[in-house]
């Protein structure tokens, strides 16, 4: 397997948690796979965006591609980075892209992978996707003494005022002058991040806490999230031998930034009674380190001299450089961390940890079992727990001896086991991508024209436009908007080009009633003139001319007439399709089929007649009877789809809403199939059942995990104003897939072969709408 890791920094240049983890994983995967890493360096003496390659100094099997970004602070999209990343993708063609962090790089590298159809896995290390600063800590202007307050959630203006006012403008005065700009900036960023989520196949969370935050706060679908703790090179963490003869020593390792809470640790240490030492390892961080050292120097000399500032340790020598010289590891972070590597490393080395009772820190340290917890952001509470260990070193060692409590043997996950778990996730993602892959035809074989979505004589409860629950039409009238009706000019343009591209069928409007379109008969004439078949969906009222007269016009040019029909009993039919009369519709069906059969007997083509329904809790018990009714009338096919629940009032009607409703649906499928076997058509054939197949209980979120989209690369939709649409999903939903072109000013061929549409065809498998779509079906169904 060819694996491309993406990270915003790589050791030894950058040694924070996500960077160290990426290096560890890359080295573990290199045992069995080809591994490349795309990362950055900051060389002010080299040109911006210069690219060079080197090997990992500790493992030359891992190849690095470094792009020079000395001035990338807080930028999230960078087209120049995207271009270089795209070149690497095209030249190396990885099987999977695994992202660790994109701060200071470019978030839109995800688009580069997605439009090439390459699967993307993303490990979540912090909150950066949903918090522009990554840690949900903020500046409160109403309380300037609280410099690093916890944030209760993302809001565009709050992010701009409390964080970006200070980070960018540098003063409250400049913020006031430019508030709308920064609010808009945050808004654009957050929209972009939500779009990014749509293009990622799987997110890995190393803490259940973090998984739940992204699921509940950022609404990443649960199907896209999985929990997997980090893995470690256990040999690197073995052989600890505490240096004898030293006083009880607390140790901190990590960055010297405010979010890490070193200032609270210093304050807590200053309160201790007894002979203790505090050792702080880490790369100096400019003004922050200086400020911390000044804070330590303010202690009485007998305290200050027991605080040692030590250089950055070597990852490969963490035991000899650090763990041999401490009795407890401190994780005093003031932000809610998720799964700090240092906690795991200390536990593997059998050293107790003191950390906060928040987030993933409390998930991996259990109070008084393998460490101690203090009240988050409370130096006095931290001092209390430190004092307890200082007073009882033997007990502290016993806590540490229990190690990692998520394992029976106290060991953190090994790198080898973790790499295999990651490989399995890669394989699942790749397999799903392959199962859902579609090959785009040179041109669509069928086009749906939304000729008149605002015209209908019924108010079916499930219709997004005309339902008794919908307010769309009344809102359009209240706002003075005219009814949407496709111009005849556009109809002619699309059908003429369609004919030249080999399109075989045209479907008039599927939202409104197409027989109400004033130019419907011109569509029939255009189809006849260009040798294109009409595929009609009508509500069965055959308004205006009546069924017989409409059949005379429609049958000679039509491949299929789908008649919306939603109940075997009159009561059910008329409650769902408000405004219809079942007896009249049944007579219309008989009249239409009589014309169809006479036309076929005279040597003409025999168009198919289909009953089309929406599967609902209110009609599912009649499905077997429905098939029997179709057979008795000579209806060739029964086709349906599961409910698009546009309105809260109809959500309880969905057959996918719960395991119990799915079980009822599956029983109805059996009854429908049995009815088709027991009740033949008048010609001796069987009623064809389409989309009537059993569902797995997981169908609540994805009814066809291995099923490809039946539309992308195959069919096209044109809305009343001329917008090209990729599928038949509800209008507001399909707009989330993007905008692809306008048939008033562009050719169908250019849009079909355009980068935007082809990118969707290649990468649709990650989209939430596509994964939950009612129109996909499992392979073999």
């Amino acid at each position: 397997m060819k694996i491309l890791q993406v990270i915003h920094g790589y050791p030894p240049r950058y040694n924070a948690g996500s960077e160290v983890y990426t290096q560890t994983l890359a080295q573990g995967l290199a045992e069995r796979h080809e591994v490349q890493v795309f990362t950055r360096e900051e060389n002010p003496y080299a040109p911006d965006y210069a690219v060079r390659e080197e090997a990992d100094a500790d493992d030359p099997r891992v190849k690095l591609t470094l792009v020079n970004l000395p001035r990338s602070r807080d930028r999230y999209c960078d087209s120049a980075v995207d271009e270089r990343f795209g070149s690497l993708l095209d030249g190396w063609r990885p099987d999977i892209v695994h992202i660790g962090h994109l701060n200071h790089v470019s978030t839109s590298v995800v688009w580069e992978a997605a439009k090439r159809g390459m699967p993307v896995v993303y490990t979540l290390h912090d909150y950066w996707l949903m918090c522009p600063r990554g840690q949900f800590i903020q500046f409160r202007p109403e309380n300037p003494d609280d410099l690093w307050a916890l944030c209760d959630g993302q809001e565009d203006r709050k992010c701009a005022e409390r964080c970006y006012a200070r980070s960018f403008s540098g003063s409250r005065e400049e913020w006031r002058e430019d508030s709308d700009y920064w609010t808009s900036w945050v808004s654009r960023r957050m929209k972009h991040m939500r779009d990014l989520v749509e293009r990622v196949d799987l997110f890995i969370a190393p803490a259940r806490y973090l998984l739940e935050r992204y699921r509940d706060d950022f609404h990443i679908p649960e199907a896209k999230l999985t929990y997997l703790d980090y893995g470690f090179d256990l040999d690197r963490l073995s052989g600890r031998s505490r240096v004898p003869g030293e006083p009880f020593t607390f140790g901190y390792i990590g960055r010297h930034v405010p979010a890490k809470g070193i200032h609270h640790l210093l304050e807590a240490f200053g309160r201790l009674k007894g002979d203790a030492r505090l050792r702080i390892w880490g790369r100096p961080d400019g003004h922050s380190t200086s400020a911390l050292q000044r804070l330590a120097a303010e202690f009485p000399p007998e305290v200050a001299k027991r605080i040692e500032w030590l250089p950055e340790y070597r990852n490969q020598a963490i035991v000899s450089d650090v763990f041999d010289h401490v009795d407890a590891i401190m994780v005093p972070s003031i932000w809610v961390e998720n799964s700090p590597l240092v906690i795991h490393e200390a536990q593997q080395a059998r050293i107790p940890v003191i950390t906060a009772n928040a987030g993933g820190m409390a998930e991996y340290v259990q109070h008084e079992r393998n460490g101690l917890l203090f009240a988050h952001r409370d130096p006095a509470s931290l001092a209390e727990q430190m004092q307890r260990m200082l007073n009882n070193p033997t007990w502290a060692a016993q806590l540490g001896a229990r190690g990692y409590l998520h394992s029976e043997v106290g060991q953190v996950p090994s790198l080898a086991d973790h790499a295999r778990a990651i490989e399995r996730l890669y394989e699942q993602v790749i397999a799903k991508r392959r199962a859902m892959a579609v090959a785009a035809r040179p041109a669509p074989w069928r086009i749906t024209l939304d000729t008149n979505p605002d015209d209908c004589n019924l108010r079916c409860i499930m219709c997004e436009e005309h339902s008794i629950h919908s307010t769309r039409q009344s809102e359009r009238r209240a706002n003075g908007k005219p009814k949407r009706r496709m111009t005849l000019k556009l109809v002619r343009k699309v059908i003429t080009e369609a004919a030249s591209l080999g399109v075989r069928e045209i479907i008039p409007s599927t939202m409104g009633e197409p027989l109400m379109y004033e130019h419907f008969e011109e569509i029939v004439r255009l189809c006849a003139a260009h040798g294109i078949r009409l595929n009609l969906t009508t509500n069965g009222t055959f308004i205006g001319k009546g069924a017989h007269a409409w059949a005379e016009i429609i049958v000679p040019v039509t491949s299929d007439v789908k008649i919306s029909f939603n109940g075997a009993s009159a009561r059910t039919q008329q409650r769902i399709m408000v405004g219809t009369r079942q007896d009249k519709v049944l007579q219309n069906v008989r009249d239409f089929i009589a014309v169809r059969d006479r036309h076929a007997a005279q040597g003409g083509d025999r168009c198919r007649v289909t009953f089309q329904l929406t599967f609902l809790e209110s009609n599912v018990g009649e499905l077997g009877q429905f098939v029997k009714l179709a057979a008795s009338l000579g209806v060739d096919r029964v086709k349906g789809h599961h409910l698009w629940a546009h309105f809260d009032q109809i959500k309880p009607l969905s057959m996918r809403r719960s395991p119990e409703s799915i079980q009822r649906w599956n029983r109805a499928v059996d009854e429908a199939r049995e009815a088709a076997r027991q009740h033949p058509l008048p010609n001796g054939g069987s009623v064809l059942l389409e989309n009537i197949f059993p569902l797995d209980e997981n169908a609540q979120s994805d009814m066809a995990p291995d099923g490809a989209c039946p539309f992308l690369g195959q069919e096209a939709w044109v809305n009343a104003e001329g917008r090209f649409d990729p599928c038949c999903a509800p209008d507001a939903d399909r707009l989330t897939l993007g905008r692809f072109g306008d048939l008033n000013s562009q050719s169908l061929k250019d849009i079909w072969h355009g980068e935007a549409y082809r990118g969707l065809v290649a990468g649709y498998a990650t989209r939430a709408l596509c994964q939950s779509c009612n129109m996909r079906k499992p392979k073999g169904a």
Side-chain angles (χ1 to χ4, degrees), residues 614-626:
T614 301
F615 307 132
L616 304 168
E617 191 71 66
S618 48
N619 65 16
V620 71
E622 298 180 1
L623 194 56
Q625 298 171 6
F626 194 88

Side-chain angles (χ1 to χ4, degrees), residues 87-302:
S87 296
L88 176 59
L89 295 179
D90 291 336
W92 196 54
R93 302 300 301 177
D95 296 299
I96 197 155
V97 175
H98 188 163
I99 293 170
H101 215 298
L102 294 174
N103 192 17
H104 306 300
V105 186
S106 176
T107 48
S108 41
V109 299
V110 176
W111 275 253
E112 296 299 315
K115 71 185 182 183
R116 291 166 172 81
M118 295 175 178
V120 177
V121 170
Y122 197 124
T123 293
L124 301 165
H125 295 287
D126 56 19
Y127 312 114
W128 186 71
L129 290 181
M130 55 180 171
C131 166
R133 286 181 58 177
Q135 296 170 325
F136 278 126
I137 53 177
Q138 63 183 325
F139 169 75
R140 290 186 181 274
E142 69 274 15
N143 184 9
D145 293 332
D146 188 1
L147 292 176
W148 306 102
L150 285 178
C151 177
D152 57 3
Q154 193 276 326
E155 295 174 18
D156 294 347
R157 190 168 186 85
K158 181 176 71 175
C159 292
E161 180 174 2
R162 295 185 178 179
C163 294
Y164 284 86
R166 292 172 60 83
S167 297
F168 286 93
S169 69
S171 73
R172 293 282 299 153
E173 288 69 26
E174 290 182 32
W175 151 252
R176 291 191 188 99
E177 293 176 5
D178 223 1
S179 60
D180 290 341
Y181 171 81
W182 286 115
T183 301
S184 176
W185 187 94
V186 173
S187 178
R188 289 194 306 273
R189 180 197 186 274
M190 296 313 301
K191 181 180 184 301
H192 173 82
M193 293 303 182
R194 291 185 176 91
D195 288 344
L196 179 152
V197 167
E198 283 280 284
R199 289 162 173 80
V200 172
D201 294 76
L202 182 69
F203 290 92
I204 300 172
R208 291 182 174 87
Y209 169 83
L210 190 66
L211 184 152
E212 291 164 3
R213 284 291 301 266
Y214 271 97
R215 181 195 64 200
D216 299 340
D217 295 359
F218 207 51
H219 309 298
I220 295 181
E222 193 150 18
K224 274 194 174 188
L225 287 160
T226 191
Y227 162 76
L228 182 66
D229 197 7
Y230 296 127
F232 298 84
D233 178 356
L234 301 188
D235 290 339
R236 180 175 69 89
L237 300 172
S238 64
R240 178 192 179 231
S241 178
R242 178 68 173 99
V243 173
E246 293 187 334
F248 193 93
T249 302
F250 300 95
Y252 169 87
I253 59 177
R255 299 175 63 198
H256 296 179
V257 294
K260 290 295 186 179
I262 302 174
H263 55 303
H264 282 182
L265 174 60
L266 291 170
E267 182 180 343
F269 184 76
R271 298 179 181 217
L272 298 184
K273 294 178 171 52
D275 186 13
R277 182 174 298 172
L278 174 61
R279 288 176 170 151
I280 298 173
W281 282 266
R283 180 182 299 180
D285 201 328
H287 297 300
S288 184
T289 301
S290 299
L292 290 169
Q293 290 176 339
R294 286 196 300 272
L295 181 63
E298 293 175 2
F299 288 123
E302 64 273 16

Side-chain angles (χ1 to χ4, degrees), residues 193 222 240 287 326 464 470 495 569 594 714:
M193 293 303 182
E222 193 150 18
R240 178 192 179 231
H287 297 300
V326 297
E464 62 179 303
S470 176
I495 292 179
S569 69
Q714 309 298 312

Side-chain angles (χ1 to χ4, degrees), residues 52 64 152 330 344 441 456-457 525 773:
R52 66 184 189 84
L64 309 181
D152 57 3
M330 312 303 298
H344 297 72
R441 299 166 60 95
C456 196
N457 57 330
R525 287 191 287 272
C773 179

Side-chain angles (χ1 to χ4, degrees), residues 1-5 29 33-36 92 94 96 426:
M1 194 184 302
K2 296 171 76 172
I3 302 165
L4 179 60
Q5 301 274 338
L29 292 170
H33 308 282
E34 294 181 64
V35 180
Q36 279 259 21
W92 196 54
I96 197 155
Y426 291 166

Side-chain angles (χ1 to χ4, degrees), residues 5-57:
Q5 301 274 338
V6 185
I7 188 66
H8 58 354
Y10 196 84
R13 295 177 184 85
Y14 308 89
N15 274 315
S18 59
E19 296 95 321
V20 170
Y21 167 74
T22 297
Q23 181 185 46
T24 302
L25 177 60
Q27 292 172 354
L29 292 170
E31 291 286 340
R32 288 177 295 281
H33 308 282
E34 294 181 64
V35 180
Q36 279 259 21
V37 178
F38 183 84
T39 188
R40 90 185 198 275
E41 62 179 345
E42 297 176 276
N43 182 355
Y45 301 104
D48 287 9
Y49 306 111
V51 175
R52 66 184 189 84
E53 296 183 353
E54 67 180 32
D56 183 331

